[in-house]
Amino acid sequence: MSNWVQLTTAADPIEAGFLRGLVESAGIEVQLRSMELWGVAVEIYYSEGARPSLWVRRADLERAHRVLAERHQTGAGPPWVCPGCGEHLAGQFTSCWRCGHVRELRQ
Ligand SMILES: [Zn+2]
């Protein structure tokens, strides 16, 4: 079990399920843990409250963090077209990967 490390905690079971789906969609195996921490690691239970936590294999941790980071950037805006080179870019990119043009948020 030492192979598993905690990725993050969720505010509630609904968010936990959503985050789990997100990480799993990237091909990463996820464990959801919550109340079973009772009696196993009480100090963790108290420091984290009753929030469910997501665990991934140590080898997947960095990639899983990236998946979650991208999630926070999603919603930054709609897809956009680079005025510098015409490249079509997804909403989470703040600059053009092709020519480096920085997105102008006022449009
Ligand atoms: Zn560009």
Side-chain angles (χ1 to χ4, degrees), residues 78-83 87-91 93-96 101 103 107:
W80 55 292
V81 178
C82 175
E87 183 67 37
H88 289 257
L89 297 145
F93 294 109
T94 55
S95 64
C96 175
H101 184 95
R103 180 186 193 179
Q107 284 183 2

